[in-house]
Every structure is written in structure tokens, then in C-alpha cells.
Amino acid sequence: MASVTKKRNVSSAKTNQQIIKKVKIDLNSKVDGILESKKHANDVFDILLALESEEEKEVIGAANACSHLFCTLLEGKELFVGKLAGEEDEALSGEYRAAEKYRIFMRHRYISCVETLLDHLSHELYGVRESALCCLMKFAAVEGRHPLEDLDWSEHYSFPRELIQAVVGKLLSQTKDNSLLISRFQEFLEMDDVRYYVMSSICENVGRVMTQNKGAVMPVYQSNVFTLMSNISVPSQESELTNFMVKQEAKHEDWKAVKLNEHKRLFERMWLGFLKYKCPNSMYKKVLVILHDSILPHMSKPTLMIDFLTSAYDIGGAISLLALNGLFVLIHQHNLEYPDFYKKLYNLLEPSIFHVKYRARFFHLANLFLSSSHLPVYLVAAFAKRLARLALTAPPTALLIVLPFIYNLIRRHPSCRVLIHKPSAEGEAVEDPYLMTEEDPARCCALESSLWEIKSLQRHYHPDVAKAALMINTPLPQQEDDISEVLELTTYELMERDLKPPQTKNVPLEFEKATQLLKGGGDVLGQHFCLN
């Protein structure tokens, strides 16, 4: 019975392949017939009908056939150029010659094909979506060389921006996650003119959609917009603008798509237009992760992002940590003045800081911010004391970051050594004057306290932590500790390191080494015991 079923399945598969092959041959023959003679023009309806089929292979075959047919017609100037009226009105008109009527007829079929392919960008099957996308981009490339509309040549040259706008509108779906299709579209974003008009289309689409929805949070739509925008990067030099889908001529040197400043201006407008609307917290994190190296360097005025960064910094938690990267770039590279920055940084030091995903990035940036020797002593002492207090409940992996971090602060600011040497407090049970709940580092009384918490960690259960805490008993060397080596340390890696055998020679435990069970050591066990 199983063999009969298997034979039926094989037979069915062969039949399907034969049908697909036959359909492909039929479509190709119809395309060849249409291109050979205008009397076969009506066969185009069969191709368009196949394009609306429910079978994936048939739709893909029809898309390839349409690509070959209409690209050939476009290149051969067999499609009507100019503004079309209604097809019924044109059919009733006797003004056109037969050749002109053929071009009008095929132009309408081309429009129907494009509309169907645009609909297929929302198809359930990815194979159909990908095939439709590639076919539409082929049409765009050929339309660029053989435009069908009278465009504003001085501003847009002959680029088919309406077709690109339609494609972008479908990619930015409000209901369907198009991340996979957008990743396929990334290939076309490498072309400078395509990238320019995609950015322009995103600006228009976001403004229209978000206005219609009154700026409400739309997770799927905003995710699609972010996915598409995050795949866009602007060249660093104008000489790199060389890859164009529509080849420009010297006389079109005023075309905006060939100017780097225009790319940066549009890139900036695109991101600012997207980020001015309310985003879910997950989107804040995605944007902030790439902001410092993928967005700010490509903007003509990076300081315009200050409003977004300050609002993100005020949210708290992991989002505030991630906002530090962007603020760091603006403060150090663009001379941004940010009031109460260190006060807000101080208040980010909470127990959760040791358990978030972006812990390493936070301590790296905090180390940079606190590296200046011009910071007031009270501020550095407040950071050192707060970290020491948090260390009492921190996991070992975090302690191996915090302790060197505190030591580096003391090395940079010798005045903070008063936190270590408190002769009057030794041997006495005194109340710690440090105010953990005080938000202002100038009022927390850190300088009046001591780092007794580190003394407590000298009895920590983990030997590496206890060893690091013992360093405070001796004069700290001038050379700062490199914390970059431990920033990414995980609990798993720490356990693996502890479980590794020591790099020492084997220690002899007996006079004679045992070679097998119950043998060795003079064979005393073998004489008195057996396994029977």
C-alpha cells in the first residue's frame, strides 16, 4: 500500500512539473507571437490572466513573461508616450492610426500589469512577492531610459519616481510585516538615484499615513518603515555617487540625485519626519542602537536629533542607556551643551544596570564621560560611592567591572582617596552619611562617607571578586585598569573559566600510578579484593 501511495505521489509531482513546464512554454510562445506580429496582440490577456492565477509557479512564470514582453515593447517604443485618456474614449476616437491604437492598447495592458504586480507585493507567498518586486524594478529601469510621461526634466531628469513611490507604498504596509521583502529590496538601494527617490517616497508616505492616523502608534507600519530606512546609508563623498539606475548626462548636472548634499538633506528629513511621531519602546531601542554610527554621521545637521535623544534619555531604563551613545557623539563632536547631564547619568545607576542587555555599552560610555580630570571631586566621589553601594547586590560578572571602574576613578582624581582612608571610622560602628535616595550628586554627602562596601566584598564567595576587592588595601598603581576586557564577560564564560583545569603539572597522589581498576600501589587491593 505504501509503495502504491509513493508511486502516486511521484506521478503527481511529475504531472505538476509537466503542467508548469507546459504553462511556461505556452507563455513564452505567446510572448514571442506578440512580439513577432501585432495580430497576436490579444494574447496579452492570456498572460495577464496567468498573472492573476492562484498557482505560485504560474504567477512567477507569468511575471517573467510580462517582464520580457513589456521591457521589449518599452525599448522598441511600442508603448504610447504621454498622458492617456480613458480606454473607452480612445477606442471610440477615430483620430489615431492603427499603429498608434496598438501602442495605446499595449500601454493600457502595461498599466494593468503594473497594478497586478503591485497587488502581488502583498501576496501571501514570498516567491510571488519577490518575483513581482524584481519585475517592477526592471520596469523602472527601462522606463528610466524610455520614459512614458513628460516629466519635469530640470528636477527629476527621466527617473520613474511614480513607480518607485508605488513600490515603496506597498513595502510600507500597515498590516503585513515586509522585513524579508525589504531585505531583498536592499539590492536596489545600492543605486544612488533609487536610494534618493526611495527616501523622498518614505518622507511623503510617513507624513501622509501618520497624519491620517493622527500620529498613533502603529507597530507593524513603523517596523516596516524602520527596516527600510535602516538599510539606507549615504556615501561619505560626492565622488562615490557613481552607481545610477538611470544614466545621467552632463547636461543634467543640476539633477538633485547626483548631489551629496541633497542626499544628506533628504536622509535627515526622512529620519526626523519618522522620529517626531510617538514610537513603541521597542522601536526606540532599535533606533538608538544604530543612531551613533548609522544615522548621525550621514546627517547634515546632527544636532537636530537633540530633541529625540533628550526625550529618549528621559524615558529611563535601557532606553536611557542607549541614548547615551547619541548624546556622547553630539557632546564631544558637535559641542552640544546638555544641562544636568551628569545628574541624569548619576540617576541611571540603579540595580537593574547590571542585568540589562546593554550593560557593556553603558559602562564603556560612562567611563568616557568620567575620564575628564576637570570634573569636580564631589561628582566623581558620588559616582564611586553609588557604584560601591550597588556592588553589594551585584552579580560577580558585574563586580569584575565595577571594582576596576571605581579604582580608575580614584586614580584619575587623587582627592577621592579620602573615601579609602577614614581613620576616625576604623573600629567604630558609625552611621553612613551617604544618602542613596538623593538624586543630586552634590547633596548625597559622598565625600563624608567611605568605601566600606569594597571592604565587605573582600569576603565575597567568588575568589576573583574577593581578590579584586583586596586591591584597595594596598596603594593603587598609577596605571589604570583596562575594563574593556571584562565588559562583555558573561556568567557562562566566568563559569567556564573557573571549571578549566589549572595550567600546572599533574600532582602525584601515590607512589605508583594506577593503570587500571584495582591495580596499582603494589597491587595490594588486587590481592584482597575482586569484582566477582
Side-chain angles (χ1 to χ4, degrees):
M1 185 69 181
S3 61
V4 173
T5 305
K6 185 176 181 180
K7 288 181 180 178
R8 286 178 179 174
N9 291 337
V10 172
S11 176
S12 176
K14 288 182 178 179
T15 303
N16 289 337
Q17 291 176 358
Q18 290 172 354
I19 292 173
I20 293 169
K21 188 175 181 180
K22 183 179 179 182
V23 168
K24 187 175 181 180
I25 293 174
D26 288 346
L27 290 174
N28 289 336
S29 62
K30 287 183 181 295
V31 170
D32 293 338
I34 294 171
L35 295 176
E36 287 176 4
S37 174
K38 292 182 174 61
K39 66 181 181 181
H40 297 298
N42 285 331
D43 287 348
V44 71
F45 289 108
D46 296 332
I47 300 174
L48 295 177
L49 187 63
L51 192 62
E52 299 177 358
S53 172
E54 296 181 358
E55 296 292 331
E56 179 182 5
K57 297 292 184 180
E58 188 173 353
V59 175
I60 293 175
N64 293 333
C66 287
S67 174
H68 176 49
L69 172 63
F70 290 111
C71 285
T72 304
L73 292 175
L74 277 164
E75 291 172 349
K77 301 187 182 301
E78 293 293 334
L79 297 183
F80 179 80
V81 177
K83 188 173 183 180
L84 283 173
E87 191 169 7
E88 294 181 358
D89 297 337
E90 290 167 346
L92 294 174
S93 176
E95 299 177 5
Y96 301 112
R97 296 171 301 176
E100 194 72 7
K101 288 182 178 180
Y102 174 80
R103 284 193 287 271
I104 293 173
F105 172 80
M106 279 302 179
R107 172 75 182 278
H108 280 290
R109 303 292 77 76
Y110 173 69
I111 293 172
S112 299
C113 175
V114 169
E115 290 175 350
T116 303
L117 289 171
L118 288 170
D119 290 337
H120 282 339
L121 291 180
S122 304
H123 201 277
E124 295 179 357
L125 300 174
Y126 175 72
V128 174
R129 298 201 301 272
E130 182 183 24
S131 180
L133 177 65
C134 294
C135 186
L136 287 168
M137 294 309 294
K138 286 181 181 177
F139 288 163
V142 179
E143 274 195 43
R145 297 192 299 270
H146 308 282
L148 294 173
E149 300 285 348
D150 296 327
L151 302 175
D152 183 356
W153 295 88
S154 61
E155 183 177 356
H156 298 291
Y157 187 38
S158 61
F159 193 87
R161 62 186 187 280
E162 290 185 2
L163 181 54
I164 294 298
Q165 286 174 349
V167 171
V168 170
K170 289 294 183 178
L171 291 176
L172 303 182
S173 171
Q174 300 181 37
T175 57
K176 189 179 187 64
D177 182 6
N178 277 335
S179 55
L180 193 59
L181 189 62
I182 291 172
S183 65
R184 179 66 178 84
F185 187 67
Q186 185 178 2
E187 169 192 335
F188 304 103
L189 291 175
E190 295 177 2
M191 291 179 279
D192 300 311
D193 49 354
V194 173
R195 181 175 60 247
Y196 177 85
Y197 285 101
V198 166
M199 290 192 292
S200 175
S201 301
I202 292 173
C203 292
E204 296 178 11
N205 188 276
V206 170
R208 183 180 69 255
V209 172
M210 296 305 291
T211 300
Q212 290 173 353
N213 291 275
K214 298 180 180 180
V217 174
M218 306 170 64
V220 176
Y221 174 74
Q222 289 172 317
S223 177
N224 285 330
V225 174
F226 172 78
T227 304
L228 182 55
M229 293 197 305
S230 61
N231 283 314
I232 296 175
S233 59
V234 178
S236 56
Q237 298 179 356
E238 192 158 319
S239 59
E240 297 177 13
L241 295 175
T242 56
N243 183 17
F244 293 90
M245 184 177 75
V246 179
K247 304 299 181 183
Q248 79 281 8
E249 301 174 6
K251 63 181 180 180
H252 297 297
E253 59 186 8
D254 292 334
W255 189 27
K256 291 184 178 181
V258 303
K259 297 181 177 181
L260 182 59
N261 287 338
E262 293 294 334
H263 280 257
K264 287 191 172 185
R265 181 191 61 80
L266 202 52
F267 181 86
E268 181 181 275
R269 178 184 156 206
M270 175 184 71
W271 276 105
L272 292 174
F274 173 68
L275 295 176
K276 75 178 181 180
Y277 297 102
K278 187 177 180 181
C279 299
N281 286 351
S282 58
M283 183 57 62
Y284 267 108
K285 293 178 182 178
K286 290 179 181 178
V287 173
L288 291 170
V289 164
I290 66 170
L291 182 70
H292 65 288
D293 58 359
S294 299
I295 300 177
L296 291 179
H298 302 307
M299 297 181 68
S300 56
K301 295 180 180 179
T303 51
L304 293 175
M305 292 294 289
I306 184 60
D307 291 336
F308 170 74
L309 285 169
T310 50
S311 62
Y313 196 45
D314 292 335
I315 291 175
I319 295 176
S320 296
L321 303 186
L322 292 172
L324 283 175
N325 253 345
L327 289 172
F328 174 75
V329 173
L330 295 183
I331 291 173
H332 281 259
Q333 298 182 12
H334 301 280
N335 301 319
L336 173 71
E337 292 186 5
Y338 190 82
D340 297 330
F341 173 77
Y342 284 100
K343 180 179 177 180
K344 292 185 177 181
L345 180 63
Y346 176 78
N347 286 290
L348 288 180
L349 295 175
E350 297 177 348
S352 60
I353 197 70
F354 302 123
H355 306 281
V356 295
K357 180 179 179 182
Y358 311 104
R359 180 186 68 187
R361 180 176 297 193
F362 170 76
F363 278 101
H364 170 71
L365 291 172
N367 187 49
L368 290 175
F369 282 124
L370 296 171
S371 61
S372 174
S373 59
H374 299 288
L375 295 176
V377 177
Y378 78 85
L379 182 65
V380 179
F383 275 92
K385 180 61 181 178
R386 190 173 183 90
L387 285 170
R389 181 65 61 86
L390 294 174
L392 293 175
T393 57
T397 52
L399 290 174
L400 294 177
I401 300 174
V402 169
L403 292 174
F405 193 98
I406 295 174
Y407 297 157
N408 286 345
L409 291 179
I410 296 173
R411 289 187 181 100
R412 295 169 193 163
H413 305 272
S415 300
C416 290
R417 292 182 184 274
V418 68
L419 296 174
I420 302 175
H421 305 292
K422 289 284 184 181
S424 60
E426 291 184 2
E428 300 179 13
V430 295
E431 184 178 353
D432 191 343
Y434 173 68
L435 302 176
M436 184 70 176
T437 56
E438 175 58 53
E439 295 182 355
D440 189 349
R443 300 178 180 178
C444 66
C445 305
L447 281 172
E448 300 171 20
S449 181
S450 65
L451 298 179
W452 58 265
E453 295 90 349
I454 298 180
K455 196 80 172 179
S456 301
L457 292 174
Q458 292 175 2
R459 293 182 177 85
H460 197 275
Y461 68 88
H462 198 284
D464 289 350
V465 175
K467 182 180 177 181
L470 283 169
M471 288 184 61
I472 205 168
N473 293 343
T474 60
L476 295 175
Q478 293 296 322
Q479 183 66 30
E480 289 190 10
D481 295 325
D482 184 9
I483 65 171
S484 61
E485 298 179 357
V486 293
L487 286 178
E488 301 286 350
L489 185 65
T490 63
T491 303
Y492 176 79
E493 292 172 342
L494 191 60
M495 291 181 64
E496 284 291 306
R497 190 174 68 183
D498 291 341
L499 292 173
K500 282 183 179 180
Q503 302 296 325
T504 58
K505 296 181 180 179
N506 292 329
V507 179
L509 300 178
E510 293 183 316
F511 180 73
E512 293 183 13
K513 186 176 180 180
T515 57
Q516 53 185 301
L517 184 63
L518 299 182
K519 283 195 176 182
D523 202 20
V524 176
L525 290 175
Q527 295 175 11
H528 300 282
F529 296 93
C530 65
L531 296 177
N532 292 334

